[in-house]
Amino acid sequence: MKKAEALISSVLFEKINTIAPDAVTKADMESMFTVPPDAEMGDLAFACFKLSKVLRKAPQMIAQSLCGDFSCDAVERCEAVAGYINFYISDSFRTDVILGDILSRGEEYGKIDIGKGKTMVIDYSSPNIAKPFHIGHLGTTAIGNSIKRIYSFCGYDCIGINHLGDWGTQFGRLIVAYKKWGSKEAVEQLGVKELARIYKDFYVEAEKDPSLNDMAKAEFTKIEQGDKEALELWHWFKDISLNEFMKTYNRLGISFESYNGESFYNDKMDRVVNELTQKGLLKESDGAMLVDLEEYGMAPCLILKNDGSTLYATRDISAAIYRKENYNFDKCIYVTDAGQSLHFAQFFKVIGLMGYDWNDKLVHVPYGKISINGEKLATRTGNVVLLEELFDDASKRALAIIEQKNPDLENKEYIAEKVGIGAVIFNQLSSGRIKDINFVWEEALSFEGNTGPYVQYTYARTCSVLSKTECEDKKLPDGLVLNEDEKALISILSKFPVKVEQAHDDYEPSYISRYLLDVCAAYNRFYHNCPILKEEGDVKALRVALTKAANTVIGNGLWLIGLEKTPRI
Ligand code: ARG
């Protein structure tokens, strides 16, 4: 309804200014529009309360006088009620302008150009090498992918970076564990599972024999110094992990512009340490080096350990500077769980203290923690759900349902995979991202009610209608009269661009997923109440066009949240 609002607003603006010049600005006007709580009261309302002071009249009087001879193409009629002007949008405006716009823009509908000419770096997913890819990474992977799509839909040039956790003492531990308890065959055969198993053994053994910890440190130092054997092992572990991660990314249709993980910054950190030293920001504490952030109400940011080795934050500071120099981003966002908020606040501050005024372009986008059946997720105790297994199960369940309901469907396995994954991803994206999630297997895989498969199913329904008839591209006939279901459907479809913008502003994919549920509800109501293919002439043309418009919006929305468009289920 933005278009209708703009037209109405300019007519009102003229009228108000003839009564009292400079009484309002266009920006003031924007805040006076609301959407009435139910359709009986019109499609848009304009509140006259703020005008009452400047015009020295009661709001209802103002509403009445503005309503008087109101004339605008978008409006069929208006009424003054309790200080509001309620506007009823004309059917011709709905069909010619709103519906016409959706149909003519198609896949472009909903795109806005606020990001045109701007670059956005998005650091997301970023799992740790040699550790299982588990449900703890689902949030960053699904939310990050969706935010990336939303931003590119808004015109940004997006660079997705997988900042792999591929550096640190844990690789020393892994080498020790491998040499002591591992075998080439087992790692080759079992991959990350075997690496995770021997890594766990390390902790058990190190409890009994702490000298293992020193050995691990020594092994990591070897990697850092470029020792051939150590580096080869490290590379091998990394390749094995990445290969497995890639399988999951492929299933999700996700790829990254860069896989530069923490190790990439190994030779770039000296510069940061020198710069911090030169700028007088480093302080010694028990042999370690840190940046004191007490003044800003934060714990210090650790830069070097007492043995001179670098930390997670050191690599992140390096990475941010590297990204700014290489991509010249307008925004660089990091999607991780809220548990890392302090880390981001600390290193953003350090970058600011180094004199880089672009530190305000670094944004941490946190999401809630995930627990499993009410218990904390823990790789060490095994309270963990592997993404691969979750997706396998989801896809198996979807296939079982298809076998039951639509056994002759072509390409069953493929569709079951997309619907199963759709259920899991949608479940992750359907509540506000900051909310903690308690993962319950049955709920995440539910296909009933407000779920991904429901949206995919409605999409398939629109495709099925369209496959049985022609949607002619020509202009819809004049003088169409719309019923309530048709009006409601057009109203909801018209909100898509605003939802995209809000999702962009708040980094919030759930705005899109919840909106899709509303669109599906409106389309399904229309579908049940209004025959489409049985109709003829203008009515049929209109209903087919509405189906096409719903198909466009649901399709574009599914893409934004990273779900596959499924023409048939
Ligand atoms: N590897 C980290 C983890 O699994 C996430 C990295 C996020 N990105 C970053 N630049 N710190 O917790």
Side-chain angles (χ1 to χ4, degrees):
M1 290 292 154
K2 273 272 166 225
K3 285 199 171 165
E5 186 184 307
L7 288 174
I8 295 170
S9 181
S10 64
V11 176
L12 282 177
F13 185 74
E14 288 290 309
K15 286 189 125 201
I16 297 166
N17 273 322
T18 27
I19 308 171
D22 300 326
V24 274
T25 64
K26 288 218 158 133
D28 294 336
M29 304 268 304
E30 216 175 297
S31 67
M32 297 186 213
F33 279 97
T34 56
V35 177
D38 77 69
E40 300 270 292
M41 297 161 81
D43 304 290
L44 259 184
F46 182 77
C48 299
F49 307 98
K50 282 196 196 150
L51 292 174
S52 170
K53 226 177 173 179
V54 247
L55 301 181
R56 294 168 188 274
K57 268 201 207 167
Q60 176 62 7
M61 298 264 287
I62 300 172
Q64 272 166 349
S65 76
L66 290 173
C67 222
D69 53 352
F70 189 89
S71 142
C72 159
D73 282 350
V75 174
E76 185 181 282
R77 66 193 165 93
C78 58
E79 278 170 7
V81 181
Y84 285 94
I85 313 174
N86 291 339
F87 293 97
Y88 297 78
I89 303 299
S90 68
D91 286 352
S92 64
F93 185 82
R94 282 180 218 272
T95 51
D96 295 355
V97 180
I98 305 178
L99 192 54
D101 184 41
I102 303 174
L103 296 175
S104 67
R105 295 194 66 200
E107 284 190 356
E108 301 291 304
Y109 176 64
K111 283 194 179 173
I112 43 176
D113 58 7
I114 42 184
K116 215 167 143 199
K118 294 188 186 154
T119 298
M120 130 119 159
V121 166
I122 168 160
D123 175 322
Y124 73 109
S125 198
S126 311
N128 296 328
I129 292 293
K131 294 218 179 134
F133 201 18
H134 59 73
I135 187 137
H137 302 114
L138 184 62
T140 168
T141 308
I143 296 170
N145 179 45
S146 176
I147 294 179
K148 186 179 172 202
R149 290 180 180 209
I150 292 167
Y151 270 69
S152 58
F153 207 64
C154 293
Y156 285 84
D157 182 13
C158 293
I159 316 276
I161 299 185
N162 197 331
H163 188 76
L164 296 165
D166 58 1
W167 208 241
T169 327
Q170 68 266 35
F171 294 96
R173 287 185 211 118
L174 198 61
I175 291 184
V176 173
Y178 174 71
K179 286 187 176 166
K180 288 199 173 288
W181 313 291
S183 78
K184 192 163 186 242
E185 297 72 42
V187 173
E188 264 166 8
Q189 210 188 340
L190 301 167
V192 173
K193 275 205 184 108
E194 175 66 3
L195 296 179
R197 187 190 68 79
I198 56 174
Y199 190 73
K200 242 196 259 172
D201 284 353
F202 180 92
Y203 277 100
V204 178
E205 296 300 323
E207 288 261 303
K208 296 180 240 159
D209 176 7
S211 75
L212 287 171
N213 288 318
D214 297 327
M215 287 167 75
K217 261 194 182 169
E219 286 294 346
F220 182 59
T221 309
K222 280 202 213 158
I223 306 181
E224 277 189 306
Q225 289 170 349
D227 174 83
K228 196 162 167 277
E229 189 209 5
L231 258 181
E232 266 171 17
L233 280 174
W234 171 78
H235 260 296
W236 183 47
F237 296 151
K238 186 168 163 172
D239 287 347
I240 287 179
S241 310
L242 207 50
N243 269 342
E244 278 185 36
F245 297 165
M246 288 313 285
K247 282 188 212 146
T248 304
Y249 291 135
N250 289 338
R251 290 178 90 168
L252 296 173
I254 292 181
S255 61
F256 297 85
E257 278 63 36
S258 159
Y259 292 83
N260 286 342
E262 295 186 41
S263 65
F264 179 75
Y265 302 96
N266 187 32
D267 61 357
K268 298 174 183 60
M269 282 180 287
D270 276 354
R271 167 189 158 184
V272 170
V273 175
N274 289 340
E275 211 177 311
L276 285 166
T277 315
Q278 265 168 21
K279 293 181 174 161
L281 292 165
L282 281 188
K283 234 169 109 173
E284 205 210 293
S285 166
D286 291 333
M289 291 303 215
L290 48 82
V291 180
D292 188 1
L293 298 174
E294 201 181 340
E295 210 182 305
Y296 310 98
M298 285 185 274
C301 181
L302 234 70
I303 302 292
L304 294 174
K305 287 193 206 159
N306 57 12
D307 62 2
S309 56
T310 57
L311 288 109
Y312 185 43
T314 329
R315 296 189 274 281
D316 257 330
I317 296 169
S318 259
I321 295 174
Y322 176 87
R323 291 170 188 175
K324 183 67 191 163
E325 288 175 353
N326 282 272
Y327 302 115
N328 193 21
F329 55 74
D330 292 279
K331 203 176 258 203
C332 173
I333 74 165
Y334 301 80
V335 185
T336 78
D337 76 57
Q340 296 197 35
S341 296
L342 177 62
H343 162 74
F344 286 99
Q346 286 172 317
F347 93 74
F348 292 173
K349 188 79 219 170
V350 172
I351 291 179
L353 292 173
M354 289 171 90
Y356 295 116
D357 60 359
W358 47 263
N359 77 330
D360 60 350
K361 298 187 185 336
L362 305 171
V363 184
H364 179 220
V365 177
Y367 60 88
K369 287 204 192 61
I370 195 154
S371 50
I372 302 177
N373 293 327
E375 281 182 37
K376 214 174 147 216
L377 188 113
T379 18
R380 285 204 212 159
T381 60
N383 190 32
V384 76
V385 171
L386 299 182
L387 284 183
E388 197 191 350
E389 287 172 10
L390 178 63
F391 291 140
D392 284 348
D393 193 37
S395 149
K396 230 169 46 207
R397 290 184 193 213
L399 187 61
I401 297 176
I402 294 174
E403 292 288 5
Q404 207 183 24
K405 296 195 172 162
N406 193 1
D408 299 327
L409 183 71
E410 248 175 69
N411 240 345
K412 276 189 274 203
E413 280 77 17
Y414 176 81
I415 293 169
E417 163 86 358
K418 297 304 173 195
V419 172
I421 288 177
V424 177
I425 301 291
F426 195 91
N427 180 58
Q428 171 76 45
L429 298 182
S430 57
S431 43
R433 69 175 150 75
I434 204 66
K435 218 176 133 221
D436 287 343
I437 292 188
N438 179 29
F439 178 86
V440 179
W441 197 277
E442 294 304 321
E443 277 172 21
L445 295 189
S446 164
F447 298 157
E448 302 293 327
N450 289 336
T451 60
Y454 164 69
V455 179
Q456 289 171 313
Y457 181 76
T458 309
Y459 179 78
R461 168 172 276 172
T462 60
C463 292
S464 153
V465 171
L466 296 170
S467 71
K468 293 181 190 131
T469 182
E470 290 282 294
C471 175
E472 290 176 22
D473 282 337
K474 63 178 202 270
K475 191 179 164 303
L476 283 167
D478 286 335
L480 289 168
V481 179
L482 303 176
N483 68 28
E484 287 312 314
D485 294 318
E486 293 162 341
K487 275 189 197 169
L489 181 56
I490 298 182
S491 290
I492 187 96
L493 295 175
S494 76
K495 295 198 175 108
F496 185 52
V498 175
K499 294 287 168 185
V500 171
E501 186 166 355
Q502 289 170 342
H504 157 279
D505 292 350
D506 294 350
Y507 308 98
E508 192 53 275
S510 68
Y511 294 170
I512 305 289
S513 34
R514 285 200 223 133
Y515 167 72
L516 283 176
L517 294 172
D518 291 344
V519 174
C520 290
Y523 182 76
N524 286 324
R525 210 172 305 120
F526 156 81
Y527 179 86
H528 286 296
N529 295 341
C530 312
I532 304 171
L533 300 171
K534 283 193 207 125
E535 289 290 344
E536 277 174 22
D538 291 357
V539 175
K540 179 173 176 184
L542 168 70
R543 292 184 182 167
V544 172
L546 276 168
T547 301
K548 175 86 188 138
N551 171 272
T552 299
V553 171
I554 301 174
N556 293 0
L558 282 172
W559 184 81
L560 287 177
I561 54 170
L563 260 61
E564 186 89 355
K565 295 190 223 170
T566 42
R568 280 181 309 275
I569 291 189

